């Protein structure tokens, strides 16, 4: 097999990619800085420079308060990271899509003039069953096939039940505790004995939460559907969550937002401890930096919170919530070709694969001008565990064999092959987001989901009511956290310190 192989094992929300910078320099295009430890007093310290942290910081600055953003990695954007491959194709290693109902993300992209283009879906999609049966179809899903009727019946029921979910106060939802006590698998098996339908439902869970149906709270499935506006919004392409991509990558908006913060973002600063003080909080990083502030916004995933030592300890509900919200397990693999040759055969490059294939879902991720061809393969859940344990060459062979089943033998000869295995990242340890295990919402959600803990406020897409788990949810969570902090500071009679008082 020809072509360049690149393995990218360390693309994370707050984790380093190749290690933080060691000099004291501004990084230029992002309005950030790296360097050795320092000490500073500020109004608010923000932990994490993903979309949630950057949005929170921006809102606080606009309200007249000073912030310092501490980011463990050597870039901004969090679980959204784009960069050119060796063959010149801009690869989105993490989040990449934007949908028309993701209003906050759309507004922010428009503000900075970040161009989008429609996700490619022209041509026939492919479904490959576990027995090797290959079926071509057009539209949202095959009209006929094993388990289709039962699958559609159960997913229609999911939408009806999700319609009753209170996304602002989930615990007020009818039958909340009953649904939360079940796993998604429990509910699915109570509804149908059709194993083909169950397999389709399992792939849907894997594709959205990067987890297995046995692992996730059924209530969390309903909450998530309600948060997005329904099952179709999560699953489909045109006018749904996968509607469009960014010409310069999905982190272009984050870089533009970071530039407006004018050096307030510090890279290579993993926060190791946060303690409450008489005047607020004190955060310490691995480089020796100390930031004293009146309030803190923690804008990292719940799973990453475990890397931070808190004094005093976090409330029981928050600690319980963190234990019940593991990160999903996913790899995103790009195979790049000299052209999108499958389009010439009338194929869209979109596929779903069942059975023993390592790959669950495939999309055409070629650049807008089709100057190169790119297929992106997603490996989820249990399949990820098995596949990631293989040697490098076996992993590659498995992916390219699956892609060859989808688009033909030409897929076996990419000019470049790039893996991003999210559970191997340094700080985030998974993707796309944290999901809630059975019992987590009922036991800890009311006080642990996003309730402030003293001077600590929580942001991150996992805390969003709308588009939870998506970039849009991260943005709205940053806005909410900033609003909480502004209200608390103003109630305490604080009006914000001048930037000139900050001693970096």
């Amino acid at each position: 097999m020809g072509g360049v192989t690149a393995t990218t094992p360390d693309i994370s929300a707050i984790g380093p990619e190749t290690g933080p910078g060691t000099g004291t320099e501004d990084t230029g295009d992002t309005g950030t800085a790296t360097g050795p430890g320092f000490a500073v007093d500020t109004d608010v310290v923000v932990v994490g420079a993903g979309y949630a942290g950057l949005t929170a910081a921006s809102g606080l600055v606009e309200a007249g308060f000073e912030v310092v953003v501490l980011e463990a990695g050597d870039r901004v954007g969090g679980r959204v990271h784009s960069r050119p491959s060796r063959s010149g194709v801009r690869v989105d290693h993490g989040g990449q899509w934007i949908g028309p109902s993701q209003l906050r993300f759309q507004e922010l992209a428009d503000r900075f003039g970040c161009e989008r283009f429609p996700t490619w879906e022209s041509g026939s999609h492919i479904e490959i069953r576990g027995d090797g049966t290959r079926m071509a179809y057009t539209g949202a899903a095959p009209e006929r096939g094993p388990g289709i009727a039962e699958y559609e019946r159960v997913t229609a029921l999911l939408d009806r039940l999700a319609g009753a979910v209170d996304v602002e106060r989930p615990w007020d939802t009818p039958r909340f505790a009953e649904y939360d006590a079940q796993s998604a698998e429990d509910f699915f098996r109570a509804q149908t004995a059709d194993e083909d339908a169950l397999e389709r439902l399992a792939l849907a869970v894997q594709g959205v939460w990067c987890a297995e149906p046995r692992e996730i709270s059924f209530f969390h499935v309903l909450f998530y559907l309600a948060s997005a506006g329904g099952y179709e919004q999560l699953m489909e392409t045109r006018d749904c969550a996968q509607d469009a991509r960014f010409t310069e990558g999905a982190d272009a908006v984050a870089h533009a937002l970071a530039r407006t913060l004018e050096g307030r973002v510090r890279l290579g600063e993993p926060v190791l401890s946060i303690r409450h003080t008489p005047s607020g909080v004190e955060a310490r990083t691995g480089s020796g930096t100390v930031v004293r502030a009146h309030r803190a916004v923690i804008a990292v995933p719940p799973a990453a919170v475990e890397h931070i030592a808190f004094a005093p300890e976090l409330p029981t509900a928050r600690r319980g919530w963190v234990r019940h919200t593991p990160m999903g397990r996913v790899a995103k693999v790009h195979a790049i070709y000299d052209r999108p040759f499958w389009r010439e055969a009338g194929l869209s490059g979109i596929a779903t694969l069942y059975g023993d294939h390592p790959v669950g879902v495939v999309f055409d991720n070629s650049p807008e001008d089709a100057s190169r061809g790119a297929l992106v393969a997603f490996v989820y859940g249990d399949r990820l565990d098995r596949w990631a344990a293989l040697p490098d060459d076996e992993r590659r062979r498995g992916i390219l064999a699956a892609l060859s089943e989808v688009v033909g033998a030409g897929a076996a000869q990419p000019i470049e092959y790039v893996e991003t295995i999210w559970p191997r990242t340094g700080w985030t340890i998974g993707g796309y987001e944290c999901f809630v295990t059975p019992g987590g919402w009922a036991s800890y959600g009311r006080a642990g989901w996003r309730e402030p803990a003293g001077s600590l406020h929580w942001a991150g897409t996992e805390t969003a009511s709308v588009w939870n788990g998506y970039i849009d949810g991260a943005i709205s969570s940053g806005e909410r956290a900033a609003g909480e902090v502004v209200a608390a500071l103003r109630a305490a009679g604080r009006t914000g310190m001048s930037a000139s008082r900050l001693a970096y």
Side-chain angles (χ1 to χ4, degrees):
M1 293 175 287
V4 175
T5 298
T7 300
T8 309
D10 199 15
I11 307 298
S12 66
I14 61 168
E17 183 182 341
T18 56
T22 56
T24 303
E25 72 273 351
D26 188 84
T27 60
D29 69 333
T30 59
T32 61
T34 61
F38 65 100
V40 64
D41 293 323
T42 190
D43 292 313
V44 185
V45 59
V46 177
V47 181
Y51 271 91
L54 294 173
T55 302
S58 177
L60 289 163
V61 171
E62 289 177 8
F65 295 95
E66 270 307 320
V67 302
V68 173
V69 182
L70 299 174
E71 165 59 47
D74 60 359
R75 60 176 179 81
V76 302
R79 287 167 272 178
V80 184
H81 178 46
S82 311
R83 66 181 179 189
S85 71
R86 295 176 185 172
S87 57
V89 175
R90 181 164 287 279
V91 172
D92 280 306
H93 295 282
Q96 68 174 50
W97 284 296
I98 183 170
S101 67
Q102 295 172 354
L103 301 181
R104 287 176 172 84
F105 197 14
Q106 293 280 3
E107 291 169 2
L108 206 57
D110 288 343
R111 172 183 167 187
F112 295 114
C114 296
E115 296 182 357
R116 287 86 87 189
F117 64 98
T119 300
W120 182 269
E121 61 169 1
S122 299
S124 295
H125 311 330
I126 299 298
E127 176 178 285
I128 300 177
R129 305 296 302 168
D131 62 4
T133 302
R134 184 177 186 275
M135 178 171 57
Y137 67 96
T138 57
E143 293 183 3
R144 294 178 300 277
I148 286 288
E150 274 294 89
Y151 168 79
E152 291 180 344
R153 183 186 66 80
V154 175
T155 57
L157 174 60
L158 296 180
D159 270 339
R160 290 198 297 274
L161 295 177
V165 171
D166 186 331
V167 295
E168 295 295 338
R169 295 176 55 84
W171 40 89
D172 287 342
T173 300
R175 303 176 70 179
F176 165 68
E178 175 190 344
Y179 289 150
D180 188 51
Q182 304 175 59
S183 69
E185 182 174 54
D186 293 334
F187 183 83
F188 295 159
R189 290 195 174 276
Q191 299 304 313
T192 183
D194 187 322
E195 289 297 329
D196 291 306
L198 290 168
E199 192 173 33
R200 293 181 185 279
L201 291 164
L203 182 56
V205 170
Q206 293 159 9
V208 174
W209 295 280
C210 307
E212 299 297 329
R214 68 177 184 275
E215 297 175 304
I216 188 169
S217 156
F218 176 60
F219 176 76
H220 189 63
V221 170
L222 297 181
F223 168 80
Y224 209 88
L225 265 61
S227 169
Y231 191 82
E232 183 178 81
Q233 276 292 320
L234 292 174
M235 299 297 167
E236 303 306 336
T237 303
R238 193 62 61 236
D239 296 325
C240 296
Q242 288 72 231
D243 181 73
R245 294 165 53 210
F246 286 84
T247 303
E248 295 300 322
D251 65 357
V253 182
H255 285 280
L257 185 57
R259 283 193 290 271
T260 70
L261 293 173
E262 300 178 334
R264 294 177 175 90
V265 181
R266 303 288 302 193
L267 302 179
E269 295 281 8
V271 173
L272 302 183
S273 68
I274 299 177
R275 70 180 183 92
H276 277 86
T277 67
S279 60
V281 297
E282 180 183 272
R284 290 180 176 268
T285 77
S287 74
T289 290
V290 178
V291 179
R292 295 174 292 269
H294 302 303
R295 295 266 160 175
V297 174
I298 314 300
V300 298
V305 170
E306 292 190 296
H307 293 288
I308 303 173
F310 292 89
E313 278 195 344
L314 294 175
T316 300
R318 182 65 193 182
R319 285 185 279 125
W321 179 258
V322 168
R323 289 196 303 271
H324 280 76
T325 50
M327 190 69 81
R329 311 188 305 285
V330 63
K332 194 173 181 183
V333 185
H334 284 80
I336 300 172
Y337 306 88
D338 60 0
R339 71 188 197 285
F341 61 86
W342 50 91
R343 297 182 185 180
E344 300 162 14
L347 298 176
S348 66
I350 296 174
T352 52
L353 297 87
Y354 298 88
D356 293 332
H357 297 91
V359 175
V361 172
V362 178
F363 273 88
D364 182 329
N365 247 24
S366 305
E368 182 179 14
D369 63 4
S371 55
R372 297 285 192 190
L375 293 171
V376 60
F378 293 88
V379 187
Y380 307 116
D382 288 349
R383 292 198 239 190
L384 183 281
D385 295 341
R386 295 189 294 269
W387 174 80
L390 297 173
D392 293 356
D393 58 341
E394 290 187 38
R395 290 201 308 273
R396 174 178 169 136
R397 279 199 298 271
I399 297 295
L400 297 182
L403 295 180
S404 296
E405 287 192 59
V406 172
V407 300
Q413 297 291 333
I415 62 174
E416 190 173 4
Y417 173 90
V418 185
E419 292 179 356
T420 306
I421 304 175
W422 280 84
R424 294 182 178 179
T425 60
W427 297 88
T428 306
I429 318 176
Y432 318 123
E433 75 280 336
C434 295
F435 61 92
V436 183
T437 59
W441 271 108
S443 298
Y444 303 108
R446 183 189 291 263
W449 176 33
R450 61 188 187 191
E451 184 74 16
S455 296
L456 307 178
H457 300 259
W458 307 102
T461 189
E462 289 85 0
T463 70
S465 292
V466 177
W467 282 111
N468 185 286
Y470 286 75
I471 299 171
D472 189 82
I475 294 167
S476 67
S477 79
E479 294 172 347
R480 174 192 49 75
E484 291 175 359
V485 171
V486 168
L489 291 175
R490 288 178 176 166
R494 302 191 185 279
T495 57
M497 62 173 61
S498 168
S500 63
R501 292 178 58 191
L502 299 181
Y504 291 99

